[in-house]
Amino acid sequence: MKRTVENEVVIVGGGICGLATALALHRKRIRSLVLEKSEKLRATGAAIIVQANGWHALDQLGIGSTLRQTAIAIQRGMFTSLSEKEPKELAFGINQEFRCLKRTDLIKAIANCLPMETIRTGCEVLSIELDPVTRYPHLMLSNGTILQAKLIYQVVIGCDGVNSTIANMVGLHQTKLLRFSTCVARGFTKYPNGHQFASEFALISRGQIQLGRIPVTHNLVYWFLTRPTTSQDSIISKDLPLIRQSLVESMEGFPILTIDMIRSCKLNSLHLTYDLKYRPPWDLLLNNFKKGTIVVAGDAMHATGPFIAQGGSASIEDAIVLARCLAQKMHNSTKVIIDHNVIEEAFDKYVKERKMRIFWLSLHTFLVGKKLDTKSLMVRAVFLAIMFVLFRDPDCHSRYNCGTLHHEEED
Ligand SMILES: Cc1cc2nc3c(=O)[nH]c(=O)nc-3n(C[C@H](O)[C@H](O)[C@H](O)COP(=O)(O)OP(=O)(O)OC[C@H]3O[C@@H](n4cnc5c(N)ncnc54)[C@H](O)[C@@H]3O)c2cc1C
């Protein structure tokens, strides 16, 4: 007989990871409450590349087939260096399923499958403490500067992104975050009569400037541009026409078709991330990611930077593994009130399963990011050589399978 676990799990942060975790738990009949500090769910950054591993995770959540209808399948990748004549094939992740999703489609698809009142927006978690007697976490919530409530929950999952409050609690201090000196602008360009681009991921580079272009549908194209960060970027990032102007200025020598694409982009889809923080790979190896019944997932655990387009998919994988581990332990427990140790065992299992996966993703992103950060051809060659040795298989990350949400003991 199916048993619904009455214990409530609180998830801090309603981004991709928080929502995916709530849905994965819901699929395992565990109730959760998502606390999101923004007034409504956000989908900043236009689109997200999802490779085969991410699609597998979305299928486990039961939303893969709905989302496939919103984004065309990308057939191949092409890399063009403007200093060389011939384009080369770009193998990275393309040999398997590869699509680019509108972030709003992804967020909506997940949120629509959650029971009513799972998500509480406008609810920021200010701090978290462990009760000295029960060892259960206390969450301090705030509305602006006014302390609004004090809630007590047994299980807390921190999905509150790169500047995570919960990560501090488990020892992943924000002061340990480092920064890339490359910035990334992203946006959409709409072609009401259809665009002429092939179903391919095109990457065009000149020196330290790189432009990526991926069709989402037959009349919508997602693109991103990476360039060295400048001292003006904090000002530029606040002014959409200025972002567009700065991008066009940096694209000297790029094909006119790509410059026109940026010129005619949807202004309200534009976003410039100039302060790209990442948790260094070695920090991931040294940390535990949990304290008592508190654990972290998504960027709160492994902010990697965007350079291999895996952060979002890795966050959905976290959700699947975490829900599976929790459900296995909680459903097997004979006690009505779930014991502290049961939760800790589940979290230990989750951390063990995720650690090396996110280490390799993080190391690869670090190497690609550092290669972009440097002007020195010598240093670039060193990073390329390391990557050639460690990540020669272009599908090594996308072939990863986080497993299923189903487990033998249920049904
Ligand atoms: C430029 C760029 C391009 C990228 N491209 C890709 C890509 O193509 N493919 C890919 O897979 N990944 C990509 N990523 C990575 C991906 O966006 C992230 O890994 C993913 O969004 C992480 O999701 P998250 O839910 O962990 O964090 P977030 O998306 O940051 O969500 C955290 C949420 O928590 C909320 N929050 C924060 N603090 C609190 C608090 N104290 N109380 C309550 N709520 C709080 C925030 O408002 C937010 O909604 C990219 C990242 C960048 C920067």
Side-chain angles (χ1 to χ4, degrees), residues 76-92 94 200-205 210 371 380 384:
R76 63 172 190 166
M78 293 305 286
F79 173 72
T80 310
S81 164
L82 294 177
S83 57
E84 290 166 18
K85 281 208 175 94
E86 291 301 314
K88 291 185 198 126
E89 199 152 319
L90 177 71
F92 147 86
I94 295 278
E200 68 179 21
F201 172 19
L203 194 62
I204 305 167
S205 110
Q210 272 200 344
K371 182 175 83 71
R380 280 182 171 213
L384 273 173

Side-chain angles (χ1 to χ4, degrees), residues 8-11 19 22-23 26 30-36 41 110-121 123 151 153:
E8 213 155 47
V9 172
V10 71
I11 297 170
L19 296 179
L23 182 54
H26 173 61
I30 300 173
R31 283 197 301 146
S32 68
L33 173 69
V34 178
L35 304 177
E36 166 55 45
L41 295 179
I110 307 177
N112 287 345
C113 294
L114 288 171
M116 291 270 284
E117 295 176 5
T118 302
I119 306 167
R120 206 178 286 173
T121 51
C123 197
L151 296 181
Y153 283 92

